[in-house]
Amino acid sequence: MKDRIKQIMESQHMTQQTFANFLGMSAASLSSIFNERTKPTLNTVEAIRSKLPSINLEWLMFGKGPMYVDGKDDQAEGVVDGRPNQTSEPMLDFTPTPEVAVSHQQPASPTGFRSVPNQSKISLNYFDKTKRQITEIRVFYDDQTWESFVPKK
């Protein structure tokens, strides 16, 4: 059963931490299941069922039948009940908003270029500043580890 839970997690493209938050359980509990220190409880099954209602319980508990009740693999695409899968991780939305929508475009000229309206020139003042050098770059990962990169001199 732990392998099937892991398969669900991977089909949702979630990390172990994200999947635990999504189910409303602690990451340590999920880790214990994956490391075979504990067995999945009925609460775990119910949490999965409540968040992913199209999961086939026969498949989840006993490995019989298809993964999803309707036979479709919507969940692999991040869709639950026809809606995008909402996880606890923030997602960027790149759809244009009405304020940003490009509706004030001028028609293209015969050359294919649009004319740019007169804009006032902005002058920048540069102040003498000592040049800064990068001494270290750190990348932090979601598993609480990091890597440091130091430029060559």
Side-chain angles (χ1 to χ4, degrees), residues 105-116:
Q105 288 186 353
Q106 298 174 352
S109 69
T111 60
F113 296 103
R114 284 184 272 136
S115 62
V116 177

Side-chain angles (χ1 to χ4, degrees), residues 35-63:
N35 292 326
E36 297 181 344
R37 286 190 298 262
T38 61
K39 294 188 186 253
T41 64
L42 194 53
N43 289 338
T44 306
V45 172
E46 182 53 40
I48 293 170
R49 177 69 176 148
S50 68
K51 293 293 183 173
L52 302 167
S54 62
I55 288 289
N56 182 354
L57 289 180
E58 283 285 312
W59 174 83
L60 178 60
M61 295 177 73
F62 309 112

Side-chain angles (χ1 to χ4, degrees), residues 87-92:
T87 65
S88 60
E89 283 188 2
M91 300 292 284
L92 294 176

Side-chain angles (χ1 to χ4, degrees), residues 4-122:
R4 291 186 293 278
I5 293 172
K6 191 174 276 193
Q7 189 176 343
I8 294 169
M9 179 183 78
E10 290 168 355
S11 76
Q12 295 297 312
H13 307 289
M14 292 186 192
T15 63
Q16 194 169 316
Q17 176 73 43
T18 306
F19 191 60
N21 291 342
F22 176 70
L23 296 178
M25 63 189 297
S26 73
S29 297
L30 190 60
S31 178
S32 294
I33 292 169
F34 289 158
N35 292 326
E36 297 181 344
R37 286 190 298 262
T38 61
K39 294 188 186 253
T41 64
L42 194 53
N43 289 338
T44 306
V45 172
E46 182 53 40
I48 293 170
R49 177 69 176 148
S50 68
K51 293 293 183 173
L52 302 167
S54 62
I55 288 289
N56 182 354
L57 289 180
E58 283 285 312
W59 174 83
L60 178 60
M61 295 177 73
F62 309 112
K64 296 179 182 176
M67 184 174 184
Y68 299 102
V69 175
D70 58 4
K72 291 183 183 174
D73 197 4
D74 287 346
Q75 279 67 22
E77 299 298 321
V79 177
V80 178
D81 290 340
R83 299 183 317 267
N85 187 1
Q86 299 297 319
T87 65
S88 60
E89 283 188 2
M91 300 292 284
L92 294 176
D93 183 13
F94 291 106
T95 56
T97 59
E99 305 87 50
V100 181
V102 182
S103 60
H104 304 293
Q105 288 186 353
Q106 298 174 352
S109 69
T111 60
F113 296 103
R114 284 184 272 136
S115 62
V116 177
N118 290 337
Q119 296 178 348
S120 62
K121 297 203 178 212
I122 300 172

